[in-house]
Amino acid sequence: MEQTPRKMMADPMLAEMGKNLNEAMKILENGEKEAELDPVIRRLSWRDIPGPLQGDGQDVFSVLQLVQNLIHDDDDKPSHRTQYVGEQAHMALLGHSLAAYVSVLDRERLRKLTTRILSDTTLWLCRIFRYENGSAYYHEDDREGLLKVCRLVINTRYEDYSTEGFAVLSSKQPVIYQSAACRPGLGQNLCSQLGLPLSSLCTVPCNTMFGSQHQIDVALLDKLIKDDVDTGKLPLLLIANAGTPGAGHTDKLGRLKELCVQNNMWLHVEGVNLATLALGHVSSTVTAATKSDSMTLTPGPWLGLPAVPAVTLYRHEDPALTLAAGLTSSLPAEKLRALPLWLSLQYLGHDGIVERIKKTSELSKKLLEHLKTLGSIKTSVEDELNSPVVVFRFSQDTSTSSSHGSVEGYSGGEKEVLDALNRWLGEQLAQHVPASGVDVVELEDEGTCVRFNPLMTAAVLGTQEADINAVVEKLTELVPLLSCTLRFKQDFREEVYQHPALTYIEDLNWPGLGVIRYQLRSEYTDDSKRQQDLEKVNVELLKKLKEMDTDFSFSSGPEFSPEKNCIYVGIATDDLDVGALVETIASVGREIEESGKLLENMTEVVRKGIQEAELQLLKANEEKLMEEGVLRQIPLVGSVLNWFSPSQSSIKGRTFNLAAGSLDSTEETYTMKAQSGKTDPPDTPTSTTKRLPGQKLFRRSTTGSEVCSEVGSVGQPEELLREATPLPSPQEVVSHVTQELAEKPGPFESTEVPESQESDEEGSIR
């Protein structure tokens, strides 16, 4: 598009301001890129900022560098941009700088400028969103406009309110009606700011039998209004939705407007669907919002404009009452709130605004078309095809069963299980496709759903059609896994119940096969010792399961889970062998428990054997002393006696058999030149399940018997499903026990063997 030549700015301050803002944005953006490449740049954190100000001050670059470090410092975690900032965002940021600049102008210039900015912005918004003859109030908090409107209605309906205040409300208590689908806390905040009791707030349920379950029940609202009038109350205002916060539904605004006219009530409308009023073709349900008394718009997220105010358009003819309600103000700072939006609207133009809103609507339609082709995915907004909000949910007919799994008898916690799976699905989509902006929403009737609301996220995240395709591709990958998990849940629970060593923990909020705990088979008299061993075994079991060659995920569960010492089994696959999975978990747990028990038993056996050896050695020394006499024990005399008359010792050696746990004589060893054979203890039982080359654990083999025979003829079968837990070696046990015994004095320390006798000893302890 061609542009006319631009004139040089007469005010150098404006040119310098735009230049400085552009340079500041470049510094911050370049700093972010450098921080992503070199984490050393982020070493300066807020903890390192000195407390007192520097005496001579700092230059602009140093201050911006400090701001950059504060922005990108996240406990040494990599920095990621979460919002897309384009040129239109720079215009909004420039508006804040200009607002500060023009606030120092003289009063007459400031009055003319603010009047022009307010009138232009209000006129543009009323034309874009088809709100004829409207006035505008600009506010930072998107709830503040409704608050000021309520004050306006109170001043209008109570003539003496300006003089007598809240005393006039006691004669007729005002009532504010809101839909049950309104955003949480809206009505409570309204009553709190107005000083009204919560009894002045009436929440109207949505349709439960006829129509949408998210639209306000008009017939019930009519009945509630009549009941309040009969009891002497004053119906004041109705808050309706053009796009509920949860599912994006639009109330029957035409019928609600008629009901408000009949009862002299004020109708206020809010919601994301109001953005579609800027399009050429708008649904009649949303068009009815243009007849409301007021409506709140949020153009910031719709158009990707940061820090621009929300706007409440309203119709009222009394300027004195609007001034009393706070909808108009004579303060320059209040009037300059519209300046960032004034600049941004001019930069985008009418076509640019419409194009952005149209693009988000097309993204929703694109996603909705793809969702219709996916099995086990149900959408929520079926009666409003023009809604830009798409809400979908994984749902499967649990009355059917397959040849490899069954869901019969699992209907008791079906809703909670599906909610957990959908919560996991939404988290996975948000993690793998962050630019899509999908999130998880809790709806009263449907339960947990995944929501795509591009009007609130697409502009700031830069969502493109490729992101929608990525979401659909990820759904195609994840939905079969959810179906398999739901199908195998009951089978997994039944298999766990068949193993006495495993306990099934009921946790409907876990998005996986289930939660189990390995139970010790030994009996304990000390409960604390049992809990300690239970924790050790389950921790070691979880560690070994994670080390296995499998696609399964095993974890210790959520951080704040009430269940401890548990193993959380993750999402299943279609070829899962539930029996092999449960058997493996039980077998590995049994091996861990037996290896620990064997270590304790061997430690006790070695300790007793060493003590017995010490006693026999003392006894042998005493016998030797009695047999040889005292003179032979004297080193010099004994050597002379042994020279003339060698002594034939009758002391026999001893050997300690770790396998049998017994202290034996070495006579047979030296006679036969070999230790006598003992029957080895039975090996620890291990699983003998085998798998084909390339086959993952816990998966059923898809090959036929002929293929299996061919594989078997080529080479030996692969390794076992898992290796048994290695038992401690005898040397480790002896070293462990010897270290414990060395801490206290024993018979070895109090007995001295003469040097002349050491060479004659045959015995040895092994």
Side-chain angles (χ1 to χ4, degrees):
M1 183 175 63
E2 298 182 358
Q3 297 181 352
T4 58
R6 301 175 180 175
K7 298 181 180 180
M8 296 296 294
M9 288 188 180
D11 192 343
M13 287 294 295
L14 294 178
E16 186 70 17
M17 186 183 306
K19 179 181 178 182
N20 291 339
L21 178 64
N22 189 32
E23 292 180 354
M25 294 297 296
K26 287 182 178 179
I27 292 175
L28 296 178
E29 291 178 353
N30 292 336
E32 178 182 3
K33 296 177 181 178
E34 294 175 0
E36 292 178 354
L37 298 176
D38 188 5
V40 178
I41 299 178
R42 298 194 305 274
R43 286 181 178 176
L44 179 60
S45 66
W46 64 270
R47 306 176 186 85
D48 303 320
I49 300 176
L53 291 173
Q54 297 185 8
D56 55 351
Q58 302 184 58
D59 56 12
V60 177
F61 180 81
S62 300
V63 176
L64 290 177
Q65 185 71 28
L66 178 60
V67 174
Q68 169 192 311
N69 293 332
L70 292 174
I71 292 175
H72 304 301
D73 176 69
D74 189 16
D75 296 334
D76 297 332
K77 295 180 180 178
S79 175
H80 299 283
R81 175 172 295 281
T82 58
Q83 292 190 357
Y84 172 76
V85 180
E87 292 186 4
Q88 77 281 359
H90 289 200
M91 294 299 297
L93 299 177
L94 179 61
H96 290 276
S97 301
L98 285 175
Y101 171 71
V102 301
S103 63
V104 300
L105 298 177
D106 61 84
R107 181 173 300 180
E108 184 61 24
R109 289 186 179 183
L110 183 60
R111 184 188 64 81
K112 291 181 179 180
L113 179 60
T114 55
T115 302
R116 174 65 183 272
I117 292 173
L118 284 175
S119 60
D120 287 353
T121 310
T122 301
L123 178 62
W124 296 337
L125 292 174
C126 289
R127 288 182 177 178
I128 292 173
F129 296 101
R130 309 184 183 192
Y131 199 81
E132 300 178 357
N133 302 323
S135 301
Y137 172 66
Y138 303 90
H139 45 95
E140 303 297 335
D141 189 349
D142 55 3
R143 301 173 299 181
E144 188 178 354
L146 176 59
L147 173 64
K148 297 298 178 64
V149 165
C150 286
R151 288 178 176 170
L152 174 62
V153 179
I154 290 176
N155 280 276
T156 304
R157 298 297 302 275
Y158 294 91
E159 297 180 358
D160 299 332
Y161 181 78
S162 59
T163 57
E164 299 184 11
F166 288 98
V168 299
L169 302 181
S170 59
S171 59
K172 280 190 175 183
Q173 181 181 355
V175 182
I176 300 174
Y177 302 90
Q178 71 169 1
S179 170
C182 284
R183 47 180 166 164
L186 179 62
Q188 289 79 357
N189 176 78
L190 193 60
C191 290
S192 175
Q193 295 297 322
L194 293 173
L196 297 176
L198 290 179
S199 58
S200 297
L201 178 64
C202 179
T203 301
V204 184
C206 297
N207 293 85
T208 55
M209 298 181 61
F210 305 99
S212 172
Q213 296 179 348
H214 301 276
Q215 292 178 334
I216 192 170
D217 193 333
V218 181
L220 181 57
L221 173 62
D222 188 14
K223 181 179 182 302
L224 292 174
I225 293 175
K226 292 179 179 179
D227 293 342
D228 290 336
V229 172
D230 294 339
T231 56
K233 297 181 179 180
L234 180 63
L236 195 67
L237 180 139
L238 171 64
I239 307 173
N241 293 293
T244 56
H249 289 77
T250 301
D251 292 324
K252 299 177 177 62
L253 299 178
R255 294 182 58 188
L256 293 178
K257 178 59 180 177
E258 296 175 359
L259 189 61
C260 290
V261 171
Q262 295 174 5
N263 296 274
N264 195 19
M265 292 174 54
W266 185 283
L267 176 62
H268 178 82
V269 181
E270 61 178 24
V272 294
N273 290 351
L274 293 175
T276 59
L277 291 172
L279 303 179
H281 302 282
V282 189
S283 63
S284 58
T285 55
V286 179
T287 305
T290 59
K291 305 300 181 183
S292 63
D293 299 292
S294 62
M295 63 181 185
T296 297
L297 310 175
T298 54
W302 296 350
L303 304 176
L305 305 175
V308 298
V311 185
T312 295
L313 303 179
Y314 64 95
R315 296 188 182 96
H316 201 272
E317 299 178 355
D318 193 339
L321 293 181
T322 57
L323 180 62
L327 288 170
T328 57
S329 175
S330 59
L331 298 176
E334 297 285 341
K335 295 181 179 181
L336 289 175
R337 286 180 180 175
L339 182 54
L341 188 57
W342 182 74
L343 291 174
S344 301
L345 293 178
Q346 291 187 90
Y347 179 82
L348 291 173
H350 182 273
D351 294 341
I353 295 172
V354 174
E355 182 63 25
R356 287 179 178 272
I357 298 177
K358 182 180 179 181
K359 180 181 178 181
T360 58
S361 300
E362 291 177 351
L363 291 176
S364 298
K365 292 180 180 179
K366 189 77 173 179
L367 177 60
L368 193 59
E369 292 175 0
H370 286 294
L371 293 178
K372 296 295 184 181
T373 62
L374 297 179
S376 302
I377 292 293
K378 295 183 179 180
T379 56
S380 176
V381 190
E382 296 291 347
D383 55 337
E384 299 182 38
L385 298 179
N386 295 322
S387 175
V389 182
V390 179
V391 178
F392 59 94
R393 170 181 171 86
F394 166 76
S395 180
Q396 183 169 290
D397 186 8
T398 56
S399 62
T400 60
S401 61
S402 69
S403 58
H404 303 304
S406 172
V407 291
E408 295 180 359
Y410 206 77
S411 59
E414 177 184 346
K415 183 178 183 302
E416 291 79 2
V417 171
L418 289 176
D419 287 346
L421 294 177
N422 280 280
R423 192 177 301 109
W424 179 84
L425 176 62
E427 293 172 354
Q428 291 294 314
L429 293 177
Q431 178 182 353
H432 290 87
V433 195
S436 64
V438 298
D439 61 349
V440 179
V441 61
E442 301 287 343
L443 301 181
E444 183 177 358
D445 297 305
E446 286 87 348
T448 304
C449 300
V450 183
R451 177 179 59 186
F452 176 63
N453 191 0
L455 273 173
M456 301 300 293
T457 60
V460 296
L461 295 178
T463 308
Q464 303 294 330
E465 186 175 346
D467 300 316
I468 303 300
N469 297 331
V471 169
V472 176
E473 182 179 355
K474 197 64 182 178
L475 276 173
T476 307
E477 174 186 344
L478 296 178
V479 167
L481 299 180
L482 296 179
S483 300
C484 296
T485 302
L486 187 62
R487 192 170 70 242
F488 286 122
K489 258 184 173 294
Q490 180 66 12
D491 294 344
F492 180 77
R493 180 167 57 175
E494 292 178 355
E495 287 287 342
V496 171
Y497 283 152
Q498 295 178 5
H499 285 268
L502 298 179
T503 300
Y504 186 87
I505 308 299
E506 192 71 37
D507 189 353
L508 299 179
N509 294 323
W510 172 247
L513 276 181
V515 185
I516 62 174
R517 178 189 294 122
Y518 182 83
Q519 296 292 351
L520 301 178
R521 298 181 297 173
S522 304
E523 296 183 358
Y524 287 81
T525 56
D526 187 0
D527 187 64
S528 60
K529 180 67 167 59
R530 181 183 183 280
Q531 291 295 331
Q532 184 179 3
D533 291 349
L534 180 66
E535 180 180 359
K536 290 182 179 179
V537 171
N538 280 277
V539 169
E540 185 67 20
L541 175 58
L542 177 60
K543 178 182 178 182
K544 289 190 175 297
L545 290 175
K546 288 182 176 181
E547 295 173 354
M548 290 183 176
D549 183 18
T550 176
D551 294 333
F552 258 91
S553 63
F554 301 94
S555 67
S556 57
E559 181 179 359
F560 301 102
S561 175
E563 297 291 342
K564 303 299 180 183
N565 304 327
C566 295
I567 298 175
Y568 287 73
V569 186
I571 300 298
T573 55
D574 183 57
D575 53 355
L576 171 66
D577 191 340
V578 179
L581 171 63
V582 176
E583 178 62 32
T584 300
I585 297 175
S587 178
V588 174
R590 184 167 59 250
E591 293 167 359
I592 296 174
E593 181 184 7
E594 291 179 354
S595 63
K597 191 188 308 179
L598 182 59
L599 176 60
E600 294 180 358
N601 294 339
M602 292 178 65
T603 303
E604 184 65 24
V605 169
V606 171
R607 182 182 290 109
K608 292 181 179 180
I610 292 178
Q611 293 175 355
E612 183 180 354
E614 290 175 345
L615 295 177
Q616 292 192 15
L617 185 57
L618 287 176
K619 184 178 179 180
N621 288 334
E622 293 176 357
E623 293 177 354
K624 185 176 182 180
L625 179 62
M626 297 298 295
E627 179 180 349
E628 297 180 352
V630 179
L631 292 177
R632 289 186 182 270
Q633 310 305 320
I634 301 175
L636 183 59
V637 178
S639 59
V640 175
L641 291 177
N642 289 333
W643 175 266
F644 290 103
S645 177
S647 175
Q648 299 295 329
S649 177
S650 61
I651 299 179
K652 306 299 182 182
R654 298 291 186 268
T655 179
F656 183 68
N657 192 329
L658 281 175
S662 60
L663 195 65
D664 302 329
S665 174
T666 59
E667 182 178 0
E668 182 180 357
T669 302
Y670 289 100
T671 302
M672 305 299 296
K673 302 300 181 181
Q675 290 185 337
S676 59
K678 296 280 186 179
T679 304
D680 295 332
D683 296 334
T684 304
T686 59
S687 174
T688 58
T689 305
K690 300 179 181 180
R691 52 195 170 108
L692 297 176
Q695 181 182 352
K696 293 286 186 179
L697 292 177
F698 317 135
R699 290 190 175 185
R700 297 185 304 274
S701 176
T702 56
T703 57
S705 59
E706 182 178 353
V707 177
C708 294
S709 61
E710 292 178 358
V711 173
S713 61
V714 173
Q716 297 295 331
E718 291 230 323
E719 69 278 359
L720 297 178
L721 179 64
R722 64 202 183 288
E723 296 180 356
T725 304
L727 299 179
S729 63
Q731 291 78 7
E732 294 176 351
V733 178
V734 174
S735 175
H736 173 69
V737 178
T738 305
Q739 184 178 1
E740 292 184 356
L741 295 176
E743 298 177 357
K744 57 182 180 177
F748 282 128
E749 298 179 354
S750 60
T751 304
E752 296 185 0
V753 180
E755 183 179 357
S756 59
Q757 301 293 328
E758 293 179 0
S759 59
D760 299 331
E761 291 286 344
E762 293 182 323
S764 63
I765 299 179
R766 288 182 282 171

